Amino acid sequence: MSSRRNFLHKLTLSAVSIPFIPGFETKPMYKMSKKSDQGTMLRVAIMGLGSYGTRVAEAMEACKKAKLVGVISGTPSKITDWQAKYDIPEKNCYNYENFDAIRDNPDIDAVYIITPNALHHPQALRVAAAGKHVICEKPMALNAKEGREMVEACKNAGVKLLVGYRMHFEANTLEVIRMREAGAFGEIKFFQGLSGFRIGDPTQWRLDKALAGGGAMMDIGIYSVNGARYMIGAEPEWVTAQETKTDPVKFKEGVDETIMFQFGFPGGVVASCLSTYSMSNLDRFFLNGTEGFAEMQPSTGYGPIKGKTHKGPLDKPHITHQTVQMDRMAEIILEGDTAKVAVDGEEGLKDLIIIDTIYKAVKSGRKEKIKLG
């Protein structure tokens, strides 16, 4: 653990020392075709072979339009293990120092970045410069400034930038959105989002400001931030926020333990949300309107998502979220499809702007305007 932690620290320091120069590292080294050489099969390399990378890889075995073909890792033993398990050829295996060479590998279409938050920005710039599509875990970056640079880099390179918003493809979530749009809940008035769990190992990267960019808000809290937006179907105009810290040893300066935050939306709609690393059994969304309601618990876990509305239970069949996500992202990248709820870089940037403003509100103690434009 300590050796990996030291490696990540060194990697982060070297990454943040690379300046972003618009137009410099963002030009693809070769012209990309719209579709893969294998028709509509998106060929993906996963960067970061930790627990979530493993979950994605296992889910992709059931995909019809996306295939795991490559790996990028700083741990040689993991690469060897994944090669054997997923039949990955040696030529599609890279480490964090040499993965720029994917520019010369026509058998990889996209790279899914599943590394600590601080690495998303520099790694995405390098992937884009290599002419490959970028899929990035959330939060997309440490802050809105980095997010904007990622959006610009991918645009300049002519590649897609997508963010791992798996809930945007989940069936019961989409059913609630369909009902709201059809007017089933009447005029929306209120949303509540509770996102939290008790975090374990105090030495993990999620509790390291340099690697995580914060604490619970940069991990579990983003679900309530994003969920408020897609459940209400509007963008927040202001936010107030309050931070509570009971363990300053575990949650050091700049690493938030618990933040309560409140949004104001157009038309007087309000939201009350909680992000925490110190309470379990918090995975609940509640949407209230003049004619009905929707309640989901669990609302963002790996599934199955459960819930009900005033009309009865939410009972859409559960399919592994990452399987659906990767197949739909293949359609977006290769077929020009669009998602019901956006999963592109601009969507990820909006969440980063909002999170930046939440942190600002915590410090100021005031109602802060959210400027998404």
Side-chain angles (χ1 to χ4, degrees):
M1 175 64 72
S2 61
S3 62
R4 180 176 183 272
R5 185 179 178 84
N6 290 336
F7 171 75
L8 290 173
H9 264 296
K10 292 177 181 178
L11 194 59
T12 304
L13 290 173
S14 63
V16 299
S17 67
I18 301 173
F20 173 75
I21 305 174
F24 177 69
E25 290 192 23
T26 58
K27 296 179 181 179
M29 304 304 290
Y30 61 89
K31 184 177 181 181
M32 289 195 63
S33 60
K34 181 180 179 181
K35 292 192 176 183
S36 160
D37 293 338
Q38 297 181 357
T40 56
M41 182 67 72
L42 181 70
R43 298 165 300 172
V44 180
I46 290 180
M47 180 187 296
L49 310 185
S51 61
Y52 193 70
T54 298
R55 184 180 291 272
V56 172
E58 291 174 349
M60 287 183 68
E61 292 188 282
C63 283
K64 300 293 191 295
K65 297 189 176 183
K67 180 181 180 181
L68 174 63
V69 300
V71 293
I72 303 170
S73 175
T75 307
S77 61
K78 287 185 178 181
I79 293 178
T80 301
D81 291 344
W82 280 51
Q83 278 188 273
K85 183 174 182 179
Y86 300 107
D87 192 25
I88 297 172
E90 181 68 30
K91 67 182 182 65
N92 290 355
C93 298
Y94 303 88
N95 59 46
Y96 294 136
E97 286 73 38
N98 69 10
F99 75 81
D100 304 275
I102 60 173
R103 67 170 64 91
D104 302 315
N105 190 336
D107 295 331
I108 295 174
D109 301 313
V111 175
Y112 194 161
I113 300 172
I114 312 177
T115 55
N117 301 340
L119 304 182
H120 294 178
H121 169 265
Q123 289 172 341
L125 298 190
R126 291 170 64 186
V127 172
K132 304 299 180 179
H133 299 293
V134 179
I135 303 172
C136 185
E137 253 316 298
K138 57 192 179 302
M140 188 173 76
L142 293 184
N143 51 55
K145 178 180 181 296
E146 289 188 353
R148 289 189 183 93
E149 290 173 356
M150 290 167 66
V151 170
E152 181 180 355
C154 291
K155 181 179 179 181
N156 290 344
V159 300
K160 296 282 189 181
L161 170 59
L162 304 181
V163 185
Y165 290 114
R166 57 186 169 82
M167 302 312 302
H168 293 197
F169 306 110
E170 196 278 322
N172 283 317
T173 300
L174 291 175
E175 175 61 13
V176 171
I177 293 171
R178 185 199 67 77
M179 291 178 68
R180 173 186 38 84
E181 291 181 339
F185 306 123
E187 185 180 352
I188 300 301
K189 292 293 186 179
F190 174 73
F191 170 81
Q192 181 187 54
L194 305 178
S195 301
F197 64 92
R198 290 183 63 86
I199 198 165
D201 180 9
T203 67
Q204 64 181 283
W205 71 262
R206 289 176 178 82
L207 295 177
D208 185 326
K209 167 70 172 175
L211 290 171
M217 182 60 63
M218 295 296 288
D219 180 17
I220 192 70
I222 193 172
Y223 284 100
S224 282
V225 171
N226 191 251
R229 297 173 53 227
Y230 65 68
M231 292 286 280
I232 292 173
E235 301 294 3
E237 298 178 319
W238 56 260
V239 65
T240 56
Q242 308 81 37
E243 181 178 5
T244 300
K245 186 171 294 191
T246 65
D247 187 347
V249 175
K250 187 173 186 177
F251 303 100
K252 296 177 175 60
E253 180 68 26
V255 179
D256 49 283
E257 177 184 349
T258 299
I259 293 179
M260 298 169 285
F261 55 101
Q262 304 79 39
F263 289 136
F265 288 82
V269 183
V270 291
S272 176
C273 302
L274 175 69
S275 163
T276 185
Y277 266 160
S278 63
M279 291 175 265
S280 295
N281 305 309
L282 290 178
D283 184 9
R284 179 179 183 268
F285 284 176
F286 179 77
L287 183 70
N288 195 40
T290 56
E291 303 296 330
F293 72 91
E295 181 179 13
M296 305 172 75
Q297 187 173 2
S299 57
T300 62
Y302 294 139
I305 299 303
K306 298 180 180 180
K308 62 183 179 181
T309 73
H310 63 290
K311 293 190 174 183
L314 293 165
D315 55 5
K316 298 294 182 182
H318 170 69
I319 303 174
T320 301
H321 297 172
Q322 295 81 6
T323 302
V324 180
Q325 172 193 326
M326 295 309 297
D327 271 342
R328 289 290 288 115
M329 285 186 167
E331 293 172 341
I332 292 168
I333 290 174
L334 299 178
E335 301 172 21
D337 202 356
T338 57
K340 174 65 178 177
V341 183
V343 294
D344 57 17
E346 285 76 10
E347 176 76 0
L349 176 57
K350 288 178 182 178
D351 279 344
L352 291 174
I353 293 172
I354 293 169
I355 290 173
D356 283 355
T357 312
I358 290 173
Y359 283 133
K360 182 179 179 181
V362 166
K363 291 182 178 180
S364 72
R366 298 190 300 268
K367 178 188 291 186
E368 299 288 350
K369 290 185 178 180
I370 297 172
K371 302 175 182 179
L372 295 178

